Amino acid sequence: QAATYVFVDGDAELVSGSVAALEACLAQNPAANAASAPPMNGRNAAHYRKLMAKEAGLFGDCYALSGNFVARLRASGIRLPDDLVGDDGLIAALAHTDLGGDADWQSERVVGCLEAGFYCLPNPITSVGLRQQAKRMTNYALRRFQNRIITAIMQSSGPHGLPRVLAETYPAWFDRLAPRLNPLWYWFDRRALARMRAAAADLPESA
């Protein structure tokens, strides 16, 4: 048990004092379930920091959850699907809704913490780095498809309707999912959909 839980990606480098700043943000906002640190580098870093000053999002690279929220999450029986790619979107939704459905959304339950921050480790412009970036882009595409499914679940049965593995829901969604025609994303969306079909095919018959 802890008063505050801080989560950091393995390839993120924190700005000095970020952990204490996140803890302070939650203490200063007792109605908040989560506090999020913004990125300090990358093409859109300045935009994200400006946006976070107005409306908090949640970056999976570095965020904090209040101990009270984590205790209630554990007691609720709600859990993240085992095959979820990127937890930040679902965690943000659970925090915003206070473990309820979309109708319970309140923006002040997630706060931006501009006193904290993180640096992302960029991929080197090498063959290995390009392969890593391609894998990352495919994961982003898969996460986008998964988020569509999760949003539908949250709007209908709420978080208690989340399955053990999202792959169980894929067959019902394949007719509604298609690659974006954007040249940047088309190939990665196709790869993500192929992964989803393979995952659905590998499920035990009883799943």
Side-chain angles (χ1 to χ4, degrees):
Q1 299 295 323
T4 306
Y5 295 86
V6 178
F7 300 84
V8 183
D9 271 0
D11 61 352
E13 180 181 345
L14 297 189
V15 172
S16 179
S18 289
V19 172
L22 288 167
E23 184 178 27
C25 277
L26 288 175
Q28 293 160 10
N29 296 273
N33 291 321
S36 180
M40 303 299 291
N41 62 338
R43 291 188 302 274
N44 298 315
H47 168 73
Y48 286 136
R49 291 182 67 82
K50 186 181 296 184
L51 187 65
M52 185 172 283
K54 298 178 182 178
E55 181 178 350
L58 196 152
F59 291 91
D61 301 81
C62 180
Y63 64 91
L65 301 178
S66 74
N68 175 270
F69 176 69
V70 171
R72 288 187 291 112
L73 178 58
R74 286 171 168 163
S76 72
I78 297 168
R79 57 170 294 159
L80 306 186
D82 292 343
D83 55 350
L84 181 66
V85 175
D87 64 330
D88 46 346
L90 181 51
I91 290 292
L94 294 172
H96 275 299
T97 61
D98 204 32
L99 307 179
D102 273 13
D104 302 306
W105 189 284
Q106 291 187 21
S107 59
E108 64 270 19
R109 289 177 177 147
V110 177
V111 295
C113 186
L114 297 182
E115 294 76 24
F118 63 88
Y119 292 94
C120 296
L121 181 66
N123 282 325
I125 308 300
T126 63
S127 59
V128 173
L130 291 174
R131 284 196 297 271
Q132 290 175 338
Q133 184 62 21
K135 182 178 179 181
R136 179 179 293 177
M137 298 287 278
T138 302
N139 283 338
Y140 289 161
L142 177 55
R143 182 174 64 183
R144 176 176 175 271
F145 291 133
Q146 288 187 338
N147 283 344
R148 283 189 59 183
I149 297 171
I150 288 171
T151 297
I153 294 171
M154 294 289 284
Q155 290 174 344
S156 56
S157 56
H160 287 281
L162 291 167
R164 181 184 61 83
V165 291
L166 284 170
E168 296 173 4
T169 70
Y170 291 167
W173 277 86
F174 286 137
D175 290 343
R176 289 175 275 177
L177 301 177
R180 284 166 284 184
L181 298 181
N182 185 325
L184 175 63
W185 286 107
Y186 181 79
W187 186 73
F188 299 111
D189 283 356
R190 283 180 58 89
R191 286 175 61 89
L193 287 169
R195 280 177 57 181
M196 293 172 71
R197 290 189 179 92
D202 286 343
L203 287 173
E205 292 185 5
S206 60

